[in-house]
């Protein structure tokens, strides 16, 4: 009987999931292995199982297709993240049941594609005895150990397109335009989109902001004859001394969102400028992966198969400065990778005169 491996996509979707599935299944087939796709996230391993073999025809067109053909789940019994930096141990019965499902399918290894939540689950399943390797996915780019997660570049491309479009309409109407982007507790999407789109103000979770600072920047622009301003605000941005804006956590992590509306309201009140707010939301997670993500997904997927072949489990594929390598899962989930305050991204923004809210 040939070697069978499983593949599962967990957490929020993003462009590139299907490209990784394709790379994994193709690289596995090249070794004569079968790939079983687990449907609906880790839940698909539980009885009654939802799993199917991925044959060659399933892989057609996957390199460019958004979403995940396997489906995914970001809340429910497998929620291992419950808040900012807080994790939960999955019950032993659930780990046992998952392992039984894995064994019933006759799998020799499992490729888990996901963000920090899915990698936290993967680590717990690995410690429980399951042979797992991880592939780092998230538009938030907040996983430690990898230069970049896949999905991030595609989300940024979407956000930059939005900033470009807001630039022209803001200028035509002499307005302040506020764009709220995703990223959870990390400001990567906001920083990249803001810098690439030429934003005047970028507000990120790593640097608490004040309205004085933001309005001062708008006043300076007005004085210089620039009667429009673009503000990119990360959903996790917060006022000095303030908390995150969003819903209370229910059955998993809290949903962030709404800070853009608050910023728009306060800026209009303080400056008297006509202000409009746009929340980019899940547009950032849809559509086809960028060229960069297609390449990254392909490298990640094929390397995951190498890890399984070498029986190097409990590791996450990573893009390091030495190339595509792997890091222990436990290292990847230890801390969230946020934007370092001493990074060139921050110093270069300040050098340009971009207001970071402080
Ligand atoms: O982690 C990816 C992400 O898109 C975050 O940027 C965002 O806060 C969250 O997921 C949204 O989750 P949901 O799809 O459950 O609304």
């Amino acid at each position: 009987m040939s070697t069978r491996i499983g593949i599962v996509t967990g957490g929020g979707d993003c462009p590139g999931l299907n490209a990784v599935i394709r790379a994994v299944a193709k690289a596995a087939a090249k070794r004569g292995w079968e790939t079983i796709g687990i449907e609906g996230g880790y839940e698909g391993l539980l009885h009654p199982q939802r799993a199917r073999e991925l044959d060659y025809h399933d892989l057609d067109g996957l390199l460019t297709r958004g979403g995940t053909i396997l489906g995914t789940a970001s809340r429910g019994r497998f929620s291992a993240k419950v808040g900012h930096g807080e994790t939960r141990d999955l019950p032993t019965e659930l780990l046992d049941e998952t392992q039984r499902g894995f064994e019933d399918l006759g799998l020799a290894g499992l490729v888990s594609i996901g963000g920090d939540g899915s990698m936290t689950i993967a680590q717990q399943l690995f410690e429980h005895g399951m042979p797992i390797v991880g592939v780092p996915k998230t538009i938030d780019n907040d996983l430690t150990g990898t230069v970049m997660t896949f999905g991030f570049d595609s989300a940024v491309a979407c956000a930059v397109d939005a900033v470009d479009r807001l630039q022209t309409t803001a200028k035509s109407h002499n307005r302040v335009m506020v764009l709220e982007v995703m990223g959870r507790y990390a400001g990567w999407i906001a920083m990249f989109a803001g810098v690439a789109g030429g934003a005047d103000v970028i507000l990120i979770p790593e640097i608490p902001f004040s309205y004085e600072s933001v309005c001062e920047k708008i006043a300076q622009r007005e004085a210089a004859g620039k009667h429009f301003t673009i503000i990119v605000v990360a959903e996790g941005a917060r006022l000095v001394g303030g908390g995150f804006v969003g819903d209370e956590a229910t059955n998993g992590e809290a949903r962030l969102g709404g800070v853009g509306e608050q910023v728009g309201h306060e800026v209009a009140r303080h400056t008297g400028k006509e202000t409009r707010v746009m929340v980019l939301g899940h547009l950032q997670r849809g559509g086809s992966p960028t060229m960069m993500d297609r390449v990254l997904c392909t490298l990640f997927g094929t390397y995951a198969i190498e890890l399984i072949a070498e029986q190097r489990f409990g590791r996450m594929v990573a893009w390091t400065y030495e190339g595509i390598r792997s890091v222990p899962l436990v290292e990847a989930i230890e801390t969230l990778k946020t934007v370092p305050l001493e990074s060139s991204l921050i110093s270069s923004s300040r050098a340009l005169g971009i207001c970071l809210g402080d």
Side-chain angles (χ1 to χ4, degrees):
M1 200 176 126
S2 74
T3 301
R4 287 182 132 193
I5 58 148
I7 184 164
V8 63
T9 52
D13 73 334
C14 75
L17 283 163
N18 285 326
V20 178
I21 294 171
R22 167 184 178 269
V24 164
K26 279 196 150 192
K30 198 97 174 70
R31 291 175 183 266
W33 299 356
E34 285 174 52
T35 302
I36 306 296
I38 313 298
E39 295 175 341
Y42 288 104
E43 297 272 346
L45 279 170
L46 307 178
H47 287 283
Q49 290 174 318
R50 281 170 295 143
R52 64 189 158 98
E53 189 181 340
L54 298 176
D55 73 25
Y56 224 66
H57 298 294
D58 288 314
L59 309 181
D60 287 349
L62 283 196
L63 183 60
T64 58
R65 196 185 310 164
T68 161
I69 55 162
L70 297 176
T72 186
S74 49
R75 289 181 175 78
R77 283 185 289 179
F78 281 93
S79 290
K81 300 286 292 186
V82 285
H84 186 202
E86 291 169 59
T87 56
R88 165 179 95 97
D89 287 339
L90 298 178
T92 313
E93 312 78 66
L94 183 63
L95 296 171
D96 283 341
E97 205 184 327
T98 313
Q99 182 155 21
R100 266 199 305 280
F102 173 86
E103 285 164 2
D104 289 352
L105 289 170
L107 302 178
L110 182 67
V111 178
S112 168
I113 314 175
D116 63 330
S118 303
M119 292 305 127
T120 305
I121 299 166
Q123 172 62 20
Q124 292 185 23
L125 291 170
F126 170 66
E127 283 171 12
H128 200 70
M130 280 175 57
I132 292 201
V133 299
V135 176
K137 161 239 73 165
T138 169
I139 64 164
D140 304 337
N141 195 33
D142 60 359
L143 267 169
T144 300
T146 185
V147 173
M148 204 184 276
T149 55
F150 79 83
F152 172 66
D153 188 64
S154 303
V156 169
C158 171
V160 173
D161 181 51
V163 178
D164 288 350
R165 289 167 189 268
L166 291 177
Q167 287 278 10
T168 57
T169 176
K171 187 163 188 190
S172 307
H173 286 268
N174 289 336
R175 282 173 172 162
V176 175
M177 285 287 182
V178 179
L179 176 70
E180 181 183 304
V181 297
M182 283 185 168
R184 219 182 271 281
Y185 304 112
W188 294 107
I189 299 178
M191 281 311 299
F192 271 68
V195 169
D200 309 296
V201 179
I202 307 174
L203 305 177
I204 58 173
E206 293 83 348
I207 304 177
F209 69 93
S210 72
Y211 287 117
E212 291 71 39
S213 166
V214 175
C215 295
E216 163 77 19
K217 175 69 185 176
I218 296 170
Q220 283 168 7
R221 285 180 60 76
E222 291 292 326
K226 305 219 179 191
H227 302 295
F228 68 101
T229 295
I230 303 290
I231 303 177
V232 175
V233 53
E235 63 180 358
R238 52 190 163 150
L239 275 170
V240 175
F244 296 112
V245 181
D247 296 341
E248 285 296 306
T250 46
N251 193 18
E253 271 202 284
R255 286 185 64 203
L256 299 178
V259 65
E261 197 55 49
Q262 292 186 0
V263 169
H265 180 80
E266 289 303 315
V267 162
R269 195 166 71 82
H270 284 100
T271 64
K273 292 280 305 171
E274 207 179 358
T275 303
R276 296 287 186 272
V277 177
M278 206 216 145
V279 179
L280 201 50
H282 290 79
L283 284 177
Q284 292 155 101
R285 296 229 309 246
S288 193
T290 56
M291 169 279 290
M292 174 74 203
D293 272 334
R294 292 177 202 187
V295 172
L296 199 54
C297 290
T298 304
L299 303 187
F300 278 171
T302 54
Y303 198 77
I305 289 300
E306 276 187 48
L307 287 181
I308 293 182
E310 291 164 7
Q311 310 247 310
R312 295 174 69 208
F313 299 114
R315 304 187 69 82
M316 183 187 81
V317 174
W319 176 14
T320 72
Y321 293 108
E322 284 77 46
I324 302 296
R325 299 283 190 277
S326 69
V327 294
L329 275 168
V330 74
E331 270 178 31
I333 58 176
E334 218 162 42
T335 49
L336 273 191
K337 185 185 70 183
T338 52
V339 179
L341 297 185
E342 64 286 358
S343 63
S344 316
L345 207 48
I346 298 289
S347 57
S348 174
S349 300
R350 291 199 195 282
L352 278 185
I354 296 173
C355 167
L356 298 178
D358 55 347

